[in-house]
Amino acid sequence: MKVQFLFFPEEGDEPDHTMTFDLPGVPQAGDRVTISHPGQEGCANFIVRRTRWDLDHPDPEPHHRAGEIVVGTTCAVSVECTFAVGPYSSEEHKGVAIGAAT
């Protein structure tokens, strides 16, 4: 499942940046996410604050014929995260996380 991550400063209304990942599941509020980049020392740490599901349903009518099942689809899944500092956070990430917290 493709999941878009939106990274927000601590109290920000707009994301600082976004990244998309192919995941086997969706992180939930409170989960800690660690992102590593090949060739980069350390990692980036985030805390999930909420998940947003965008769904599409083909039938605008609330009723269906007996025995008929109309199934919608997932358009997008977005995970909103705030910056966190972990024991292996890169120096660059620590600077951004500290700046986001002030």
Side-chain angles (χ1 to χ4, degrees), residues 28-93:
Q28 302 300 306
D31 285 350
R32 178 176 286 271
V33 176
T34 300
I35 300 172
S36 301
H37 298 282
Q40 180 183 13
E41 181 131 352
C43 56
N45 302 99
F46 304 93
I47 303 293
V48 175
R49 70 179 184 190
R50 78 177 129 250
T51 302
R52 186 173 60 223
W53 294 81
D54 295 318
L55 307 175
D56 185 26
H57 198 271
D59 187 358
E61 299 297 320
H63 60 279
H64 304 286
R65 284 180 260 156
E68 179 183 353
I69 298 174
V70 178
V71 178
T73 58
T74 304
C75 296
V77 178
S78 300
V79 175
E80 297 180 7
C81 298
T82 55
F83 288 80
V85 175
Y88 302 106
S89 292
S90 68
E91 291 304 315
E92 178 184 359
H93 181 75

